[in-house]
Amino acid sequence: MAKRVVKRPVAGRARKAGAGGAPAGKRAESYAHPEASSLLRPDVGVQAQFRKKKPPQRYRYDSSLAPALNWDGQNPGREIGEWLLALIREAAALPAPHAFETPRTMRAGEAVIEVRSLADAVDQLERLGRPFLDWAGKAERVSFEVPTLPLFLHERLSTQAILETLKGHKRDRQLDMFQLFADPQRPVHDQVLRAYEYPDKWVNRMVLGDSLVVMSSLLHYEGLGGQVHMIYMDPPYGVKFGSNFQPFVRRRDVKHNDDGDMTREPEMVKAYRDTWELGLHSYLSYMRDRLLLARELLSPSGSIFVQISDENVHHVREVMDEIFATRNFCGLIVVQKTGGLGASGLKAVADYILWYARDAERLKYRQLFRRKVVGLGEGSGARYDQLLSPDGMTVRPLTAEERDDPSRIPSEWRPFQLTSLTSGAFRENTTVPYTFMGDVFHPGENACWKTTVDGLDRLARAGRIQKAGRTLRYRRFLDDFPAFEITNVWDDVAGAADKVYVVQTSTSVVARCMLMTTDPGDLVLDPTCGSGTTAYVAEQWGRRWITIDTSRVPLALARQRLLTATFPYYQLKEDGRGPAGGFIYARRQNQKGEEVGGIVPHVTLKSIANDEPPDEEVLVDRPEVDGKVTRVTGPFTFEATIPTPVDFEGDGEEDAGAGVGEAHGTFVDRMLEVLRRSPVLHLTGNRTVALHHVRRPAKSLSLSAEAVVAKPGEREPAGARRPQGAPVSGATGGAGEVAEPRVDGDPVALVFGPENGAVSEKLVWEAAREAAAKRYTHLYVVGFAIQPNARELVEKCDATVGVPATYVQATPDLMMGDLLKNMRSSQIFSVCGLPDVRLRRRKAKGEERGDEYVVELRGLDVFDPATMDNDRLGGADVPAWLLDTDYNGLCFHVCQAFFPRTAAWDDLRRALKGEFDDAVWEHLAGAASTPFAAGESGTIAVKVIDDRGNELMVVKKLEDAEE
Ligand SMILES: C[S@@+](CC[C@H](N)C(=O)[O-])C[C@H]1O[C@@H](n2cnc3c(N)ncnc32)[C@H](O)[C@@H]1O
């Protein structure tokens, strides 16, 4: 591995010049989190050597909630109840806080009940008698197992590093870049031997994988239990599941099970559509598993928010009551959405957010406020119906026009309302007459003034008292406190503008949840990343983030969204501490005298009457902004649970690979089942290859399946069946397979890569040799990921082994078992292209500068295995491509990121106006890189993201560059 120089870490702000020496003017900076750390995760390139295997983790539900435990006659519930009562008696005799020295336990069937304190025992006892939601399979499933997988680092991304590359191509800049990636450049042996031991600098994280597996990894590889301050979860709502899976990066107009690809496969529509009613049971198990792990991750003062629609909000709340306990319920937030169109009857225009605390008594809560607006009902803005002239001499009611449009209120006239100056009880020193402007007023025999006579005098001098018939009233001005507390009805959170993802949440919704329950520098997690709204909002508000998704399409969108985002620079209280030191808030007024800062006065009758300075309230969403700085997303990593197959045992068998073993057998069966249901491989341009007679081959050593590919132009009647036992042409027969009519076509072989790993070269080699020996006409290598050398072998299989091969990418969503039933077939298997990349060397302009290089993405070649033709997609027709100008073979550093033919970089371009030539930005929206200098490794890597989110990588040596 090439050694990389690490210079000064980029922490806090570089005030004199922008990071990387940007000239004065509007400069780009990001926040760092110098006080936080996380355990070193290994780069994907060291997987083969990584040995720290962990056994699967078993999670148990709270056994007192098992549906079998009803409190009656012979039921075990009775025994548990009596045991709990005894513990309550015992704990009550202990000194406060009535905790046992060691937890008391009792076995109930498979589960173990644990009681730590009096409160615990009371809680458990209460639960025994509480009604619960039951569903199919719940009683039997008292625990579940999750594989404990390490996370490998696949990419390091940094907007600042990209901007640095654009600034120039000098070698020293190139070296400086690794600190911009926050890459500590650990030697390989450290990564192999000390991974998950070394604390490293904190970097935000995007993770590809099932949330259950990733959360389990965070818990058991990294010990992150109890360290997450807030979780925002926006799961599929459990209805119309298909619409949560957007199959294309650049097409979000998907309707549930209704995209073009589905309608071309009517039998598939039927097979997938009718499963959800039954699937609700698995949906609830799906939610319960994930919520249980989420709870483990939450800090004692932490909160979880679950966004859900009205169809299942009641069920999910029941499940959350079980997992988090009813007493930790903090609220049900109603979020107005634009929707309900086309529905008959009462239009449903709300989604819901369920909010639970890890422990309501220790909850971190920051009150949020909304601005009071004259004429509007919220916060009683409508009650401010009077105006006082600037000289304090004239009072008049607001006109209807002024109420409708407060900008019509003449400047310096102050809106106010008249409120009571009395309270309803006799008090000796305040139930007295009071003289105001020559008239005597009395509060009434059974009432009193709200303040003393001295206080009333002060109010009068401050112009706060007004005659109203036979009594006196208090003038409360709108600007006494121009804000009001938010409630659980959020009808002012605009929907996501310019949505990139079909189910994108509005940023203001997530921002409110985050600002209410976290402080800057806290850690937030989203196990359902989608287009990355939580990460985006966390980045905006200086929170640390981890976001997870099982699909590549949303993660491709989220990466682009974060890399190209710009945010206000909120001033930090302590530069050296990053956001964790807090933001600066100040009191400020605009020209009209309105309070517009993050600190607002809270003037009250009491403060005036007692001659006290008014209280002040902090509006946490209004920190001071440094207008000279454009803030960009800080460095983040792209990680995945998908490692390469590794021989952990050292016995020559790849553990996660296509070796023997029960788990792999089950996995192959599942994949076969999926392939039979969706026997269509998708290519670019809506072309497909259909497989028939998919089945297990007899006596196979390495192959997973065989099938027949109909010759081009041939069509098979949908749903027809082959007579039992009829042989597949050209291949060895097998018994007990699904019968289909005979289709004349080419017999082909399939091999499935590992469930939790990438396809290895060894797997391709062995499968290809067997396929060639058995005279199959083609080998399909199906995997979730593939090692570069394995991919190379696939391409050269025909020449090397004598059988052509094609790599077929399977979507990682497949790992979610049951839910798969509702997935679009168009997303399951796709044939990815191979990038055609041209690397050129040229003399750099300027005297001392040596060679510079340019990469051009000429296109994506997609092989059609049915016609044996190559189809080409132009370089500028891909959704995204990334360039590492100094690839070390371990992890991809995104030095340049291209989003062709989009306006993705436009915000940043505008914000950094003048810093870069237009040509630079044009490169980033095209198919050719900006020039760069040679790095130490002498190697570059290009990663292309295709329309389905598949990632295709090529590596090139600089010495092979064209002149
Ligand atoms: C409703 S979307 C989230 C949208 C997100 N709030 C946004 O603003 O873009 C749900 C996401 O959860 C992902 N998902 C579903 N099941 C998952 C699982 N088991 N693990 C990880 N991600 C999952 C889907 O791929 C989808 O992107």
Side-chain angles (χ1 to χ4, degrees):
M1 185 194 69
K3 181 149 171 9
R4 288 170 158 169
V5 179
V6 181
K7 293 188 183 164
R8 166 190 66 86
V10 181
R13 311 174 41 189
R15 283 201 178 266
K16 293 188 188 71
K26 193 125 173 167
R27 54 183 192 265
E29 289 186 23
S30 61
Y31 289 148
H33 300 277
E35 291 184 352
S37 63
S38 63
L39 290 184
L40 166 77
R41 274 100 53 219
D43 284 346
V44 67
V46 303
Q47 286 173 77
Q49 288 73 38
F50 187 77
R51 287 278 183 280
K52 294 191 176 170
K53 192 183 178 186
K54 286 186 189 257
Q57 192 66 32
R58 180 158 286 279
Y59 294 91
R60 289 182 199 287
Y61 297 115
D62 179 345
S63 56
S64 65
L65 292 162
L69 299 178
N70 291 322
W71 185 288
D72 63 10
Q74 299 306 310
N75 202 294
R78 181 179 196 94
E79 200 189 320
I80 297 172
E82 278 163 5
W83 175 69
L84 288 169
L85 283 171
L87 290 185
I88 288 170
R89 272 185 227 111
E90 193 185 330
L94 297 174
H98 307 286
F100 298 114
E101 258 180 30
T102 49
R104 304 301 173 86
T105 56
M106 178 180 189
R107 184 162 277 284
E110 241 199 81
V112 176
I113 307 172
E114 193 179 90
V115 173
R116 293 169 181 274
S117 63
L118 176 66
D120 241 12
V122 171
D123 196 48
Q124 299 263 14
L125 193 60
E126 271 178 8
R127 286 181 187 209
L128 267 186
R130 207 176 290 146
F132 51 80
L133 180 69
D134 195 8
W135 62 82
K138 186 182 181 191
E140 295 77 33
R141 201 161 181 273
V142 289
S143 66
F144 59 96
E145 208 171 76
V146 183
T148 313
L149 300 178
L151 297 176
F152 288 97
L153 248 84
H154 288 240
E155 283 171 23
R156 286 184 177 272
L157 303 101
S158 155
T159 306
Q160 278 199 331
I162 293 172
L163 294 176
E164 283 304 290
T165 308
L166 303 183
K167 278 207 184 106
H169 359 132
K170 278 202 247 138
R171 196 175 291 264
D172 61 336
R173 276 197 200 289
Q174 191 89 8
L175 294 173
D176 223 2
M177 295 232 306
F178 299 104
Q179 62 171 310
L180 295 173
F181 285 111
D183 182 351
Q185 293 286 291
R186 295 266 186 225
V188 174
H189 60 88
D190 268 4
Q191 294 205 35
V192 173
L193 302 175
R194 309 291 300 273
Y196 290 110
E197 286 175 21
Y198 265 141
D200 248 345
K201 215 168 8 173
W202 176 268
V203 186
N204 293 325
R205 307 164 63 178
M206 187 178 284
V207 189
L208 172 71
D210 186 335
S211 49
L212 200 61
V213 178
V214 178
M215 287 195 282
S216 193
S217 178
L218 297 179
L219 285 167
H220 298 287
Y221 263 101
E222 298 183 44
L224 272 188
Q227 300 201 34
V228 175
H229 299 98
M230 180 262 199
I231 296 179
Y232 193 90
M233 190 170 173
D234 174 18
Y237 285 170
V239 283
K240 300 183 180 166
F241 195 75
S243 55
N244 281 279
F245 291 92
Q246 181 174 324
F248 301 105
V249 177
R250 292 177 296 189
R251 224 170 77 199
R252 58 170 190 81
D253 53 337
V254 286
K255 297 190 179 65
H256 171 58
N257 286 349
D258 200 25
D259 65 74
D261 303 82
M262 282 304 278
T263 47
R264 282 188 295 106
E265 298 153 35
E267 71 283 6
M268 216 64 65
V269 177
K270 205 165 159 302
Y272 287 107
R273 188 170 278 168
D274 57 7
T275 47
W276 196 242
E277 273 83 352
L278 239 194
L280 179 57
H281 298 271
S282 30
Y283 178 70
L284 294 175
S285 298
Y286 161 95
M287 286 300 289
R288 189 159 81 132
D289 294 355
R290 281 155 185 81
L291 290 168
L292 190 72
L293 269 70
R295 178 175 175 272
E296 295 300 300
L297 285 164
L298 276 184
S299 71
S301 61
S303 287
I304 179 167
F305 296 88
V306 175
Q307 181 182 331
I308 195 82
S309 68
D310 55 4
E311 286 97 335
N312 280 327
V313 60
H314 52 312
H315 293 316
V316 175
R317 181 165 174 184
E318 294 270 18
V319 176
M320 293 187 80
D321 270 351
E322 283 186 17
I323 300 287
F324 292 94
T326 318
R327 68 186 143 79
N328 292 318
F329 171 75
C330 297
L332 174 64
I333 299 164
V334 181
V335 179
Q336 186 166 351
K337 60 174 183 182
T338 48
L341 291 177
S344 58
L346 194 62
K347 306 273 183 272
V349 291
D351 273 337
Y352 299 87
I353 297 177
L354 286 158
W355 172 19
Y356 281 76
R358 175 74 176 81
D359 177 353
E361 283 179 10
R362 300 164 76 178
L363 172 72
K364 184 184 274 193
Y365 180 64
R366 309 282 174 252
Q367 182 63 53
L368 299 187
F369 297 92
R370 285 171 63 182
R371 181 178 281 280
K372 246 183 239 165
V373 178
V374 172
L376 290 183
E378 296 103 322
S380 318
R383 288 200 218 127
Y384 292 84
D385 55 0
Q386 302 289 318
L387 285 178
L388 180 71
S389 63
D391 61 5
M393 302 306 288
T394 312
V395 166
R396 68 165 174 86
L398 260 85
T399 63
E401 290 76 26
E402 285 166 341
R403 255 200 312 273
D404 290 345
D405 177 7
S407 71
R408 291 176 172 226
I409 297 172
S411 75
E412 292 182 44
W413 283 64
R414 294 174 73 193
F416 71 96
Q417 60 170 305
L418 289 172
T419 61
S420 174
L421 197 54
T422 60
S423 306
F426 172 83
R427 287 233 168 82
E428 207 163 316
N429 58 343
T430 52
T431 305
V432 291
Y434 179 69
T435 307
F436 178 72
M437 295 177 81
D439 294 328
V440 179
F441 297 85
H442 198 282
E445 287 313 315
N446 290 320
C448 62
W449 299 115
K450 283 187 173 165
T451 180
T452 59
V453 170
D454 281 352
L456 290 170
D457 286 345
R458 280 193 206 99
L459 292 179
R461 280 199 296 277
R464 292 290 180 143
I465 298 181
Q466 184 170 319
K467 280 189 209 171
R470 292 168 51 85
T471 186
L472 293 179
R473 308 271 285 165
Y474 172 71
R475 282 181 188 155
R476 178 180 295 158
F477 291 95
L478 187 128
D479 56 17
D480 283 349
F481 184 50
F484 65 98
E485 293 183 0
I486 62 163
T487 65
N488 70 339
V489 177
W490 295 359
D491 52 3
D492 58 331
V493 278
D498 307 328
K499 268 194 196 184
V500 291
Y501 194 43
V502 61
V503 278
Q504 188 170 329
T505 308
S506 147
T507 48
S508 37
V509 171
V510 182
R512 277 205 182 153
C513 298
M514 206 177 286
L515 292 170
M516 272 196 313
T517 55
T518 62
D519 291 318
D522 281 355
L523 175 59
V524 302
L525 169 79
D526 187 339
T528 52
C529 170
S531 57
T533 306
T534 304
Y536 179 93
V537 170
E539 191 66 46
Q540 169 167 5
W541 291 103
R543 272 64 172 172
R544 293 175 295 132
W545 52 267
I546 302 176
T547 190
I548 307 166
D549 205 292
T550 189
S551 290
R552 288 180 188 272
V553 165
L555 291 186
L557 297 167
R559 255 168 34 252
Q560 168 174 340
R561 187 174 178 195
L562 284 157
L563 272 183
T564 58
T566 57
F567 307 103
Y569 190 100
Y570 303 127
Q571 293 179 28
L572 302 178
K573 265 196 207 147
E574 300 173 59
D575 273 354
R577 294 187 60 200
F583 297 140
I584 294 176
Y585 293 87
R587 249 194 96 173
R588 277 190 296 111
Q589 283 106 11
N590 63 12
Q591 283 181 332
K592 285 165 93 180
E594 294 163 339
E595 297 285 342
V596 290
I599 298 179
V600 289
H602 195 160
V603 178
T604 56
L605 180 153
K606 187 167 151 271
S607 64
I608 303 171
N610 296 351
D611 203 16
E612 291 164 353
D615 284 345
E616 286 181 334
E617 247 18 288
V618 176
L619 311 182
V620 288
D621 56 350
R622 254 196 256 167
E624 288 298 289
V625 173
D626 183 340
K628 291 203 190 72
V629 183
T630 292
R631 189 156 62 84
V632 293
T633 301
F636 64 100
T637 56
F638 187 87
E639 304 172 26
T641 47
I642 299 182
T644 42
V646 178
D647 175 12
F648 284 120
E649 315 291 354
D651 55 6
E653 291 293 341
E654 290 168 350
D655 303 286
V660 282
E662 200 183 317
H664 187 68
T666 323
F667 170 65
V668 169
D669 286 341
R670 257 174 44 216
M671 288 294 282
L672 268 171
E673 178 59 23
V674 174
L675 203 59
R676 283 197 194 106
R677 282 166 173 263
S678 298
V680 183
L681 315 180
H682 289 262
L683 290 89
T684 52
N686 266 345
R687 288 173 311 123
T688 55
V689 175
L691 300 174
H692 304 282
H693 311 323
V694 178
R695 63 179 187 174
R696 244 186 210 281
K699 293 196 199 123
S700 167
L701 295 171
S702 317
L703 299 175
S704 317
E706 62 179 17
V708 172
V709 170
K711 296 213 173 81
E714 202 170 313
R715 271 257 151 256
E716 188 191 19
R721 298 268 173 234
R722 179 167 62 102
Q724 187 78 28
V728 173
S729 51
T732 43
E737 298 298 332
V738 179
E740 288 184 55
R742 186 187 169 91
V743 174
D744 283 331
D746 296 323
V748 297
L750 294 103
V751 62
F752 300 143
E755 183 173 12
N756 292 313
V759 173
S760 67
E761 191 184 36
K762 182 174 160 209
L763 179 73
V764 178
W765 173 247
E766 284 170 3
R769 283 203 319 179
E770 188 178 342
K774 292 185 172 166
R775 296 216 294 284
Y776 287 99
T777 58
H778 205 95
L779 171 68
Y780 289 94
V781 179
V782 184
F784 296 108
I786 185 162
Q787 290 179 348
N789 55 355
R791 178 78 207 230
E792 222 176 301
L793 180 57
V794 167
E795 300 307 317
K796 293 179 182 152
C797 233
D798 201 1
T800 334
V801 198
V803 62
T806 301
Y807 174 61
V808 177
Q809 174 83 46
T811 172
D813 303 312
L814 277 183
M815 319 236 201
M816 278 195 297
D818 258 7
L819 301 177
L820 154 80
K821 289 182 192 145
N822 261 330
M823 195 183 292
R824 280 190 187 77
S825 66
S826 62
Q827 289 158 248
I828 300 181
F829 299 109
S830 51
V831 177
C832 329
L834 207 62
D836 175 8
V837 169
R838 184 172 177 206
L839 172 64
R840 277 179 301 140
R841 181 177 20 241
R842 62 187 201 193
K843 269 264 155 291
K845 290 181 205 125
E847 278 172 23
E848 311 100 51
R849 288 157 67 177
D851 288 338
E852 63 183 23
Y853 296 83
V854 175
V855 170
E856 186 193 346
L857 177 67
R858 292 205 285 204
L860 204 57
D861 290 330
V862 190
F863 177 66
D864 182 339
T867 59
M868 304 289 274
D869 286 340
N870 248 331
D871 190 30
R872 171 169 280 231
L873 204 64
D877 289 329
V878 300
W881 64 286
L882 313 169
L883 169 66
D884 184 348
T885 57
D886 189 10
Y887 181 58
N888 64 1
L890 299 176
C891 177
F892 193 104
H893 292 77
V894 180
C895 305
Q896 299 189 24
F898 308 86
F899 304 109
R901 296 188 184 153
T902 66
W905 287 107
D906 279 10
D907 275 353
L908 202 55
R909 177 182 186 161
R910 270 191 295 276
L912 299 178
K913 208 164 152 232
E915 283 231 352
F916 300 98
D917 290 347
D918 281 351
V920 162
W921 299 107
E922 275 145 29
H923 276 298
L924 294 186
S929 75
T930 49
F932 57 92
E936 297 199 354
S937 66
T939 307
I940 63 147
V942 174
K943 200 181 260 192
V944 181
I945 296 169
D946 77 8
D947 254 331
R948 285 191 169 77
N950 296 319
E951 290 170 14
L952 322 151
M953 191 164 106
V954 282
V955 176
K956 281 197 181 274
K957 290 248 164 262
L958 291 182
E959 64 197 37
D960 297 333
E962 296 171 30
E963 294 297 333

